[in-house]
């Protein structure tokens, strides 16, 4: 379980997140929603150690990891997929996964597991990542993160700019993984339907503060839309 407790963070002297607390279940999804500029990405960056937490704590299975470097957080079970379908564009799809899998005891098996999760990648293994579509690159980015065998997967806008059919595939993969157990997901998402369908808990972030939270599911959509005034 990942817990963000009273997180204050930002850049330089500018505080962007003001006392946000979020709990990610050990085998479910916590979704953070809000308008552009609300501080969602900054909150995720604090969770993985890319933004300094000035006040508050980041706890992973009860262990305080607030002062650990990003690499140390990865070794303890955090994996981060930032916005933008990031990959090594000049490497093939397979090489992108091998970069992460090399040196791991189950390296080949881990790649095979991701290909089973995202079967569209199997026919693209020899294609350079820079030539993939946005949806294919996003699936590759998530696959690479999962090869690290995380306990918590942190996803920033995984459906941004992706066609609906691929959004559905990503949602099914995320929900399927959490139902297996031993994986929590911290999700930042603008697509409210996707976020709430996936989430066990939701949080609405406005101007760096949590203004609404509750149980996920389709029934929460009207509450979230009211909170966001959309």
């Amino acid at each position: 379980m990942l817990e963000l407790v009273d997180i204050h963070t930002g850049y330089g002297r500018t505080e962007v997140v003001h006392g946000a607390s979020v709990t990610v279940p050990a085998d479910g999804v916590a979704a953070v929603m809000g308008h552009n500029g609300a501080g969602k990405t900054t909150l995720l960056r604090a969770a993985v150690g890319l933004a300094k937490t000035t006040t508050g704590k980041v706890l992973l299975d009860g262990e305080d990891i607030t002062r650990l470097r990003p690499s140390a957080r990865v070794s303890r079970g955090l994996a981060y997929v930032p916005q933008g379908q990031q990959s090594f564009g000049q490497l093939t799809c397979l090489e992108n996964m091998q970069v992460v899998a090399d040196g791991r005891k189950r390296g080949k098996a881990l790649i095979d597991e991701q290909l089973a999760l995202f079967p569209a990648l199997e026919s693209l293994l020899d294609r350079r990542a820079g030539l993939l579509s946005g949806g294919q690159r996003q699936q590759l980015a998530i696959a690479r993160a999962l090869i690290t065998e995380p306990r918590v997967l942190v996803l920033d806008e995984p459906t941004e700019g992706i066609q609906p059919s691929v959004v559905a595939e990503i949602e099914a993969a995320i929900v399927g993984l959490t139902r297996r157990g031993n994986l929590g997901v911290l999700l930042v998402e603008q697509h409210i339907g996707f976020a709430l369908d996936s989430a066990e808990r939701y949080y609405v972030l406005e101007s760096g503060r949590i203004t609404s939270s509750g149980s996920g599911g389709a029934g929460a959509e009207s509450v979230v839309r009211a909170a966001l005034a959309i």
Side-chain angles (χ1 to χ4, degrees), residues 144-169:
R144 289 175 59 218
L146 290 171
I147 288 172
T148 68
E149 298 184 279
R151 286 185 284 163
V152 180
L153 179 63
V154 181
L155 298 173
D156 194 355
E157 302 279 9
T159 69
E160 183 181 34
I162 295 176
Q163 64 190 56
S165 62
V166 179
V167 170
E169 292 173 9

Side-chain angles (χ1 to χ4, degrees), residues 2-208:
L2 177 68
E3 296 177 86
L4 309 180
V5 183
D6 192 30
I7 297 295
H8 292 253
T9 185
Y11 306 99
R13 296 183 179 180
T14 302
E15 185 172 276
V16 176
V17 177
H18 317 287
S21 295
V22 172
T23 298
V24 181
D27 54 358
V29 178
V32 179
M33 292 167 283
H35 296 295
N36 289 335
K40 304 184 300 298
T41 292
T42 303
L43 181 63
L44 295 195
R45 287 174 61 83
V48 299
L50 296 173
K52 183 180 179 181
T53 298
T54 54
T55 305
K57 293 182 179 180
V58 180
L59 305 175
L60 182 61
D61 291 338
E63 178 188 2
D64 188 346
I65 62 170
T66 313
R67 302 303 168 201
L68 294 184
R69 294 180 178 180
S71 58
R73 300 188 196 203
V74 170
S75 69
R76 281 167 171 75
L78 286 187
Y80 178 44
V81 181
Q83 285 178 284
Q85 303 112 36
Q86 295 185 15
S87 61
F88 298 108
Q90 296 302 312
L91 299 183
T92 66
C93 182
L94 179 58
E95 288 168 342
N96 265 271
M97 289 187 282
Q98 286 175 327
V99 165
V100 184
D102 283 352
R104 295 181 179 274
K105 292 181 179 179
R106 298 181 57 245
K108 185 180 184 304
L110 289 167
I111 291 176
D112 290 342
E113 288 173 11
Q114 307 323 311
L115 295 177
L117 186 66
F118 297 114
L121 296 178
E122 186 137 23
S123 63
L124 303 168
L125 291 178
D126 294 328
R127 186 174 300 182
R128 285 190 297 173
L131 300 177
L132 301 179
S133 70
Q136 292 163 346
R137 285 197 306 274
Q138 188 63 282
Q139 290 176 323
L140 177 59
I142 296 172
R144 289 175 59 218
L146 290 171
I147 288 172
T148 68
E149 298 184 279
R151 286 185 284 163
V152 180
L153 179 63
V154 181
L155 298 173
D156 194 355
E157 302 279 9
T159 69
E160 183 181 34
I162 295 176
Q163 64 190 56
S165 62
V166 179
V167 170
E169 292 173 9
I170 291 173
E171 179 180 0
I174 291 170
V175 172
L177 286 168
T178 57
R179 285 177 179 170
R180 293 180 195 173
N182 300 317
L183 179 69
V185 177
L186 176 56
L187 169 70
V188 156
E189 183 55 63
Q190 293 273 17
H191 191 304
I192 292 175
F194 168 83
L196 293 177
D197 285 347
S198 305
E200 182 176 319
R201 295 285 300 174
Y202 76 83
Y203 299 85
V204 174
L205 190 67
E206 294 186 78
S207 300

